[in-house]
Amino acid sequence: MSEFRIHHDVNELLSLLRVHGGEGAEVYIDLLQKNRTPYVTTTVSAHSAKVKIAEFSRTPEDFLKKYDELKSKNTRHLDSLVYLLSKLTEDKETLQYLQQNAKDRAELAANAAISGSTSFSIPSSTSKISLQELEELRKQLGSVTATSSVQQPLELTRKILRDKQNKKNSGQPIPVFPSWVYERPSLIGDFLIGTSLSTDTTVPIGTLPLASQESVIVEDLLYILIGVDGRYITAQPLAGRQNRAFSVDPNLDLSIKELVTRILPIAASYSAVTRFIEEKSSFEYGQVNHALAAAMRTLIKEYMILITQLEHLQRQGLLSLQKLWFYIQPTMRTLEILASLATSVDKGECMGGSTLSLLHDRTFNYTGDSQAQELCLYLTKAASVPYFEILEKWIYRGIINDPYSEFMVEEHELQKEKIQEDYNDKYWDQRYTVVQQQIPSFLQKMADKILSTGKYLNVVRECGRDVTCPVAKEVIYTLKERAYVEQIEKAYNYASKVLLDFLMEEKELVAHLRSIKHYFLMDQGDFFVHFMDLTEEELKKPVDDIITTRLEALLELALRMSTANTDPFKDDLKIDLMPHDLITQLLRVLAIETKQEKAIISADPTELTLSGLEAFSFDYIVKWPLSLIINRKALTRYQMLFRHMFYCKHVERQLCNVWISNKTAKQFSLHSAKWFAGAFTLRQRMLNFVQNIQYYMMFEVMEPTWHILEKNLKLASNIDDVLSHHTSFLDNCLKDCMLTNPELLKIFSKLMSVCVMFTNCMQLLAEHADSLHLTSGFEATINKFDSNFSTHLLDLLDKLSIYSTNDCEHSMLNIIYRLDFNGFYTERLEHMSAERSQKAAPLPACLPGTAQ
């Protein structure tokens, strides 16, 4: 079970139990992931769990009836759920809580029903009902009875299925049988209620001698066994999905009647199988059910041949009731199994993979009964042929041809071009998805590999290359799962190699990643110095005043006049002026797949006017199929890292410019120049902070992580490994650069703001040094900057110390070691840690006057 599925189920359970507050679902999810163990279903464990719940239940018969109903529908994970419930019966504390919770919810529902408005009201007996009220009441009661109908007509079912399939296969409508097939009931092999064998007057059977009674009853039974009413035995109308019942003339001799009641279940089974064959032969029920019906029809033909032979004996006067029972008895088990399968498929509304699961499980359960198992094996093999044809096309060619929605893999209409446009693109994950109820139980373990195999081949096909697996071999149903595993493994290995070689060699994935690293992770030093020199004045403007084409031209110039000119993919680099600052972009990414995602993405850009520096970022043009790896999510992560480092580089340049402009202080008198001493010291502390942060991010985070990525890419065996390694690389970079922790990023942003305000102040002083009279006010300003910077820096170091200890993020300790290399902040950090510990610890009970 995936983490997202666990998250969904836990949230649903908390909502159902009305549990609010606390630490939310995350705590339970972590516990479940750490402590879950696989449950292996056995017949003994499932039976014992069922018995335990039945003994515990107040209404055991209702529970067992519901269990049998779900079992007949082949409900997934039923035995696992029953086992879990049986364990809950042993936990008194949990049971007590659930009982109280159920009681509370019942009271809330009752109160809501009383206080809320009802759907309709019945006028009091003292008032007369108007015609309008009567008509409205009739409509409401009619709608209630309509919605409570258990079974809808077959014609409506076929129409619903047909509409669904035509919607999926637009432009290629599903074929249908002509209407006369359904309008002529005589074409169906089942009983026609309301008709009789002949118009002759029937002689009362009680007036006939015993031998004559036996003769006419044998004739009636031969008709009943092929779905035609007899004179003295007739079929009863069906009620829902119940088995066919028969009425026997009450005047029939008891000795004959007893043997007749033994034979009639065969006719009931034949009726059920015939109805199933006629119904599932329609196109709307899919190819698997159609193939199953065809296989059953073949067996029914053999049964009909037997009945024909018995009729021949009867006409010769050689067939007695005992002989009929003797000859028909071997087919009783066969028809019983066929009827049981037909009923289960019908009740479970099974199609495609779910039908195969039911057949496989039934085949496996008949171990020990060789004839029954052989029969089920024959049916499963026949029914699996169309399913395996779809499977073979998928794992050998990457094509889905599933007009009836029977296959385990479902295709969704998504455009691969949107990978470059959608902020939260899900092409790779959602273009093809697994449909759980359509996975045959014998392919459950291989479902993920089947999905991946076809996806890999499909990507190569999307690039215009026709691929066919050289180890393709027909898949045939067998009880030995090893055969499937070997074939799917071979196809998977071939598909993995084809796509991986295609991306790595022909599409040069690593070279593109290296090119992105040059620009987004700023390892092309001379290019950035040249680019920032060229664009410095332009990026100081408000973002609305910046001419993008001018920036593009300056970028082109910087690329051509630096070592980046040797990069073959440099033309894919573009300018992107973002509508929001880095913090907002961070929140948009962190909100992906959460309840806040829609609100944050649809929110207006920040009201503050951004400067070019705050909005500036690079973008990169990635074409299919590389966009599977370097998609919009990945590029967004790269952009966040770039904007973070680019702004740090800008602040560093500003602090260096302060150093240059402050050389004018040498012109001042000794009395005036002394005011600059504190400013020079603060500037050096700020510069030391910014440069060490940059060094840490580039040489202690990004470079080592990049080398790990390159090593992992060389060892990758499939595209999913590449995706995983690339995502892991970006996530680790973001985490270690403090971009996934809003609290740390907030403190860091304050530090950068203090540095920028300080540089602006110093630049202003340098420009107006002649007209300004330096006083103690300047010293107070510098002291204020110093105090703010020191406070935020200590706060950052303290928080880094906490996170590195609590979350085992030891790489963040390197920032502390760099910034506090001589122990200057150590004493103050220890003092802050001691104060925090004192606040967290409970106060001991002390005697009056005792020091604490």
Side-chain angles (χ1 to χ4, degrees), residues 18 40 88 138 166 343 381:
R18 299 179 182 270
V40 181
L88 287 177
R138 186 188 65 78
N166 285 335
T343 304
K381 278 185 177 179

Side-chain angles (χ1 to χ4, degrees), residues 68-75 241 276 280 289 340-351 354-355 358 362 437-438:
D68 291 338
E69 179 188 341
L70 294 173
K71 198 68 175 175
S72 69
K73 292 183 178 181
N74 201 40
T75 305
R241 285 177 174 154
F276 178 83
K280 303 305 179 185
N289 283 343
S340 173
L341 288 171
T343 304
S344 296
V345 171
D346 197 32
K347 281 185 177 179
E349 299 178 353
C350 299
M351 283 182 64
S354 56
T355 298
L358 188 148
R362 196 67 64 89
Q437 62 266 28
Q438 296 295 7

Side-chain angles (χ1 to χ4, degrees), residues 397 457-468 494 498 501-503 506-507:
R397 299 189 62 195
L457 295 177
N458 186 265
V459 170
V460 181
R461 288 181 61 82
E462 291 274 357
C463 297
R465 288 181 52 178
D466 189 19
V467 286
T468 304
Y494 168 76
V498 165
D501 292 346
F502 182 67
L503 289 177
E506 188 170 331
K507 296 300 180 181

